[in-house]
């Protein structure tokens, strides 16, 4: 983990209200895996807290993360131009460890697709991905070419404007009998993960499942305790330090 002053290479809109910023790192940080995240400054002194953003792409010294414009901090971040320098702490958290698995089901929703893309990119040459991805509508669809590195890709939208109408969980369940999955990985809105856990249990699907949780964070290193969630036994764990990737059965959703 290093705290670096990185140079903005590009910062562009890729979908409705979604931007991708690419940073050139000035120093080696070691391996960065799909599921890990960075804590990125906005470049605006009025917004001191950094933003935790899942790694989407790694290309040599360049790292790309995507963000949704939600408040003043991310709105300011859209104005940051190439050549600016931003403070970034990375890599943070654990990752989707797929060493023991060959056939991977990917279930993603909304901005949760970005750490899943990083995972697909990392392993697509030696593993098979069967991806079920949900977006709000056609304007929210992004990184199709990256997702299409999967052996099979199913994209659905809430309104049916791209692909079939539906959600990622239902899309997978409709096809589950046709996929011999070794493991399931997922990231998306909390309600999506909660429904996924419920539906897997109802369907009697006992395939190992790992989920990446999204929580508000302060420090990103486990000191501030802003991102605490509960285990199935009721104990506190820190999403930034103990996660963000957890076994779906080991956390409360």
């Amino acid at each position: 983990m290093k705290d670096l002053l990185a140079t903005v290479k590009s910062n562009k809109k890729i979908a409705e209200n979604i931007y991708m910023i690419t940073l050139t790192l000035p120093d080696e940080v070691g391996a960065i895996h799909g599921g890990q995240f960075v804590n990125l400054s906005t470049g605006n002194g009025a917004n001191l807290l950094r933003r935790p953003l899942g790694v989407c792409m790694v290309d040599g010294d360049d790292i790309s993360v995507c963000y949704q414009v939600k408040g003043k901090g991310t709105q300011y971040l859209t104005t940051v131009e190439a050549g600016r320098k931003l403070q970034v702490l990375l890599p943070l958290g654990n990752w989707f460890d797929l060493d023991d698995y060959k056939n991977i089901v990917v279930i993603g929703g909304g901005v949760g697709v970005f750490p899943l893309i990083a995972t697909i990119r990392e392993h697509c040459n030696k593993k098979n991905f069967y991806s079920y991805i949900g977006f709000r509508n056609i304007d929210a669809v992004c990184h199709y070419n990256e997702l299409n590195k999967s052996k099979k890709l199913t994209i659905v939208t809430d309104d049916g404007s791209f692909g079939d109408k539906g959600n990622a969980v239902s899309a997978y369940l409709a096809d589950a009998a046709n996929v011999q999955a070794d493991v399931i990985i997922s990231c998306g809105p909390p309600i999506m993960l909660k429904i996924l856990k419920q539906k897997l249990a109802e369907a009697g699907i006992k395939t190992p499942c790992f989920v990446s949780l999204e929580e508000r964070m302060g420090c990103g290193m486990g000191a501030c305790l802003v991102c605490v969630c509960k285990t199935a036994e009721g104990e506190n764990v820190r999403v930034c330090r103990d996660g963000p990737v957890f076994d779906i059965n080991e956390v409360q959703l």
Side-chain angles (χ1 to χ4, degrees):
M1 178 178 64
K2 292 186 178 181
D3 198 356
L4 304 175
L5 192 61
T7 304
V8 176
K9 186 174 184 178
S10 64
N11 187 21
K12 58 187 179 182
K13 188 175 183 179
I14 59 170
E16 184 180 35
N17 223 30
I18 302 292
Y19 286 73
M20 181 170 76
I21 187 167
T22 299
L23 305 165
T24 299
L25 304 179
D27 196 8
E28 292 285 340
V29 296
I32 302 175
H33 302 285
Q36 291 187 293
F37 67 99
V38 309
N39 228 15
L40 180 66
S41 70
T42 64
N44 184 356
N47 304 107
L48 294 178
L49 282 181
R50 302 188 193 190
R51 270 50 182 180
L53 301 170
V55 173
C56 184
M57 301 181 194
V58 180
D59 291 297
D61 294 331
D62 294 340
I63 183 169
S64 298
V65 296
C66 300
Y67 60 96
Q68 183 178 37
V69 180
K70 280 189 156 185
K72 292 181 179 179
T74 47
Q75 182 61 58
Y76 180 84
L77 194 56
T78 67
T79 69
V80 174
E81 299 179 344
R84 280 280 303 275
K85 293 186 182 297
L86 296 177
Q87 207 72 33
V88 59
L89 182 68
L90 79 165
L92 298 171
N94 62 3
W95 57 88
F96 291 109
D97 185 352
L98 302 181
D99 286 350
D100 297 331
Y101 308 106
K102 178 69 175 180
N103 298 305
I104 299 103
V105 162
V106 178
I107 302 174
V111 295
V113 303
F114 304 126
L116 300 174
I117 286 171
T119 305
I120 293 170
R121 283 170 58 91
E122 183 178 359
H123 297 286
C124 63
N125 290 331
K126 51 189 179 293
K127 299 181 185 292
N128 301 318
F129 290 92
Y130 303 85
S131 299
Y132 303 85
I133 308 297
F135 292 102
R136 185 174 59 258
N137 54 42
I138 190 171
D139 294 325
V141 176
C142 57
H143 288 316
Y144 178 86
N145 290 339
E146 296 294 336
L147 292 166
N148 205 33
K149 292 176 180 176
S150 306
K151 185 178 179 67
K152 179 177 182 179
L153 173 62
T154 300
I155 292 182
V156 296
T157 48
D158 293 346
D159 62 2
S161 56
F162 189 100
D164 291 333
K165 184 176 181 179
N167 60 72
V169 175
S170 61
Y172 164 63
L173 291 173
D175 197 35
N178 301 318
V179 180
Q180 297 301 313
D182 299 322
V183 68
I184 300 168
I185 63 173
S186 184
C187 185
I191 186 61
M192 188 197 88
L193 300 181
K194 183 176 182 178
I195 292 172
L196 174 62
K197 184 175 183 177
Q198 174 188 337
K199 295 298 184 181
L200 289 177
E202 290 176 356
I205 297 174
K206 300 187 182 301
T207 305
C209 180
F210 298 94
V211 295
S212 178
L213 303 187
E214 299 174 353
E215 290 287 348
R216 291 183 177 274
M217 295 183 186
C219 68
M221 298 182 293
C224 68
L225 304 182
V226 169
C227 64
V228 166
C229 72
K230 295 284 188 182
T231 67
E233 290 76 28
E235 298 177 355
N236 290 331
V237 288
R238 300 159 296 181
V239 171
C240 69
R241 190 70 178 265
D242 303 306
V245 176
F246 295 93
D247 184 312
I248 196 170
N249 293 312
E250 293 181 354
V251 287
Q252 296 181 24
L253 296 171

